[in-house]
Amino acid sequence: MHRLEQTILKNLIHNEEYARKVVPFLKHEYFIEKTEKILFNEITKYINKYNALPTHEALIININDSDTYKDTEVKGIVEILNTIKADSEVQQGQWLIDHTEKFCQDKAIYNAVLESVAILDDKTGSKSKGMIPELLSKALGVTFDSHVGHDYIMDAENRFDFYHTTEKRIPFDIEFFNRITKGGLPIKTLNIILAGTGVGKSLVMCHMAAACLSAGLNVLYITLEMAEERIAERIDANLLNVDINELMNIPKADYERKVEALRSKTNGKLIIKEYPTASASTLHFKGLINELRLKRNFNADIIFVDYLNICTSARLKHGANVNSYSYIKAIAEELRGLAVENEVPIVSATQTTRSGYTNTDVGLEDTSESFGLPATADMMFALISTEELEQLNQMMVKQLKNRYTDPNKNKRFVIGVDKTKMRLYDVDQTAQRNISDSGQEDKPINTFGNRERRDFGSKFGNLKV
């Protein structure tokens, strides 16, 4: 008896430690032979009912008492049990667990491929071809995860170590943003900018992308609103220190010199990918991430999606049977899942409602289309612009939701905006005065720079542009 399937069955009967580890992950469809499937089902049925391993005698009695099996099937199962009884030596150690895990992974992939072929061959259209990527993704994700929860008493030491572990974060070059995030955006998070049309959602994301590139990070910028070249144009204005309206007048030699100077100062990469509006979902983004990893050896440190409401859902089909609340919430959940899967922060944006556009004190209730979006996001802040702020080249930021720190601290603050160079900058502390209900702490800002020059300091490797 050398087949792995029968070795697994034998140890499910005789090896309690092994059985308790693998039973939650084994499935009857992983076994090819009908008799082995039946025997596996009888074993797991007994274990689930009596919380103990079955004996040979109990299994034979249960199988003989059942009216659902044919005589030939009963005979085959008895033969397997007799073979197991004659060779009752069990396999100890990690070897069999590792091989059982690989067995489950191989069978899951094999079954997923067969099901995918069946979907492709199905002429009735009862199953969508869009299910195929999810089937394969689940099969590739099969693993033996023995973690079943955090034991408050037994895991106290691990918890203490967690409290003193420095969490990986992507820092900002704007001090107040670092304050409200405890030093930057943590990985596996979804962060949303709320603003009206034309207030500056894309400007803020382009500035953040430029700052991350300057810091030596790999940045993936996905746009569903503007062309790739338009996004790159804004980042050119930011990083090359050129008025966006003058880019077309720069001599080619000067432009190439500036780009080469930038290349020599950063090890990061910035990839900008455009999708048609309302045509791409996280399935497309996953494919892009894998393609970049394989073809360009590019692994993103942070992802920008411009912007969430014009993505499509990978799970729901937009139509009469799906309301906007459920649809936008589904997109937000899928994006957050993408962030967790790739261990990166994702930054995206959403529009305000019509009333929110003219509101000088935007709240969560001004989120357009779905309140499920702020329920899913880890952090959400609003950009507010007024005529007075525009004259001062400033905009106000208001925290709406924050899982990183108390959102009532530094609840409101202003930042500088240079629209000609698509930049944000820290303003003097005097500009923060007279903001009602600001929640600001009385301490000076560690200014990273001004409009004419940004110095990222120790956080960004002393890079100057």
Side-chain angles (χ1 to χ4, degrees):
M1 180 176 59
H2 298 292
R3 293 181 67 246
L4 181 59
E5 288 90 335
Q6 292 194 10
T7 301
I8 290 171
L9 292 171
K10 178 182 70 173
N11 281 270
L12 287 177
I13 298 173
H14 294 292
N15 188 341
E16 184 171 358
E17 181 182 1
Y18 166 81
R20 294 195 180 279
K21 284 184 179 179
V22 304
V23 162
F25 307 102
L26 284 167
K27 297 181 179 179
H28 76 276
E29 57 260 33
Y30 294 163
F31 295 87
I32 298 175
E33 300 293 336
K34 182 70 176 293
T35 52
E36 292 173 349
K37 286 185 179 182
I38 295 172
L39 181 54
F40 172 76
N41 284 335
E42 290 295 333
I43 292 171
T44 54
K45 191 189 302 180
Y46 187 98
I47 292 173
N48 291 332
K49 185 173 182 179
Y50 299 104
N51 194 28
L53 300 188
T55 62
H56 289 77
E57 292 74 15
L59 288 170
I60 291 174
I61 292 170
N62 287 344
I63 291 167
N64 282 322
D65 288 347
S66 176
D67 297 330
T68 59
Y69 307 132
K70 299 177 183 177
D71 291 341
T72 53
E73 292 171 345
V74 173
K75 182 179 178 182
I77 296 168
V78 172
E79 287 179 0
I80 294 174
L81 286 171
N82 288 336
T83 304
I84 289 174
K85 191 172 184 179
D87 180 21
S88 59
E89 182 182 356
V90 297
Q91 179 74 43
Q92 301 291 345
Q94 189 65 29
W95 179 89
L96 183 58
I97 293 175
D98 291 342
H99 276 69
T100 305
E101 182 176 27
K102 187 176 185 303
F103 166 79
C104 292
Q105 292 167 343
D106 291 344
K107 294 297 182 182
I109 294 171
Y110 177 78
N111 291 343
V113 170
L114 288 182
E115 190 171 354
S116 299
V117 172
I119 291 173
L120 291 173
D121 291 340
D122 182 20
K123 304 301 182 184
T124 65
S126 59
K127 291 187 177 180
S128 170
K129 292 180 176 63
M131 295 173 59
I132 293 176
E134 186 176 356
L135 286 172
L136 295 174
S137 178
K138 285 183 178 179
L140 291 168
V142 170
T143 182
F144 284 10
D145 184 1
S146 59
H147 180 70
V148 291
H150 179 86
D151 188 315
Y152 180 78
I153 300 298
M154 300 302 295
D155 293 334
E157 185 175 348
N158 293 336
R159 191 164 64 252
F160 181 84
D161 292 339
F162 170 78
Y163 294 154
H164 294 81
T165 300
T166 302
E167 187 176 13
K168 181 180 177 182
R169 292 174 182 268
I170 305 295
F172 294 92
D173 64 332
I174 302 296
E175 179 62 19
F176 264 106
F177 281 131
N178 283 324
R179 287 191 193 179
I180 66 175
T181 58
K182 289 187 175 179
L185 296 177
I187 62 173
K188 303 181 182 181
T189 58
L190 176 63
N191 307 274
I192 300 296
I193 302 168
L194 172 66
T197 302
V199 173
K201 298 185 297 296
S202 295
L203 186 155
V204 171
M205 285 195 285
C206 285
H207 172 87
M208 289 180 178
C212 289
L213 174 62
S214 297
L217 301 174
N218 288 336
V219 182
L220 176 58
Y221 196 112
I222 296 170
T223 172
L224 296 96
E225 186 176 37
M226 289 188 288
E228 296 171 357
E229 294 79 9
R230 290 302 179 191
I231 297 297
E233 180 184 38
R234 292 174 172 224
I235 295 174
D236 265 344
N238 183 297
L239 290 177
L240 304 185
N241 194 28
V242 177
D243 188 315
I244 192 169
N245 299 310
E246 297 297 324
L247 279 170
M248 65 184 71
N249 299 323
I250 298 177
K252 186 176 181 181
D254 290 349
Y255 178 79
E256 291 176 344
R257 178 179 54 79
K258 287 177 176 290
V259 172
E260 186 58 37
L262 177 64
R263 182 186 294 116
S264 67
K265 294 176 182 177
T266 180
N267 295 320
K269 293 181 181 179
L270 169 62
I271 302 294
I272 306 168
K273 173 61 179 176
E274 176 189 359
Y275 290 98
T277 301
S279 68
S281 70
T282 52
L283 292 178
H284 298 87
F285 304 158
K286 287 178 183 178
L288 173 64
I289 291 167
N290 290 332
E291 195 171 1
L292 288 172
R293 187 178 292 123
L294 292 172
K295 292 183 178 179
R296 297 198 184 181
N297 193 29
F298 176 90
N299 292 288
D301 295 305
I302 186 170
I303 298 174
F304 295 86
V305 179
D306 191 1
Y307 60 98
L308 185 145
N309 294 60
I310 52 178
C311 295
T312 57
S313 171
R315 296 175 294 167
L316 302 180
K317 186 175 182 180
H318 194 42
N321 294 328
V322 181
N323 57 43
S324 62
Y325 174 92
S326 301
Y327 194 72
I328 299 301
K329 187 174 189 295
I331 296 172
E333 290 169 346
E334 291 158 13
L335 278 178
R336 193 175 189 283
L338 184 69
V340 172
E341 183 178 335
N342 290 277
E343 297 188 347
V344 296
I346 290 182
V347 180
S348 190
T350 189
Q351 297 273 18
T352 59
T353 58
R354 185 181 301 178
S355 60
Y357 180 71
T358 57
N359 191 350
T360 57
D361 189 26
V362 176
L364 287 176
E365 69 279 3
D366 294 307
T367 306
S368 68
E369 297 191 88
S370 176
F371 200 75
L373 172 54
T376 305
D378 294 283
M379 183 177 76
M380 193 165 177
F381 61 86
L383 303 177
I384 301 170
S385 180
T386 64
E387 289 185 4
E388 182 182 0
L389 287 169
E390 284 185 3
Q391 291 173 1
L392 295 170
N393 293 320
Q394 295 173 358
M395 69 170 61
M396 181 174 290
V397 178
K398 179 186 175 184
Q399 291 192 69
L400 303 177
K401 179 182 179 180
N402 194 334
R403 288 177 175 164
Y404 315 137
T405 188
D406 183 357
N408 291 311
K409 290 184 178 179
N410 301 305
K411 184 176 182 179
R412 294 178 177 82
F413 54 90
V414 295
I415 55 176
V417 184
D418 184 349
K419 290 187 177 180
T420 62
K421 295 181 180 176
M422 294 291 146
R423 286 183 181 174
L424 307 177
Y425 56 92
D426 286 316
V427 295
D428 292 335
Q429 185 63 31
T430 54
Q432 307 294 343
R433 294 173 184 168
N434 301 321
I435 299 177
S436 61
D437 192 26
S438 70
Q440 291 184 21
E441 301 161 327
D442 293 328
K443 63 180 181 180
I445 298 175
N446 296 322
T447 303
F448 282 92
N450 53 39
R451 291 195 226 181
E452 300 304 323
R453 176 175 146 276
R454 287 184 291 118
D455 184 348
F456 292 99
S458 59
K459 287 181 181 291
F460 292 88
N462 295 317
L463 176 63
K464 297 179 181 179
V465 178

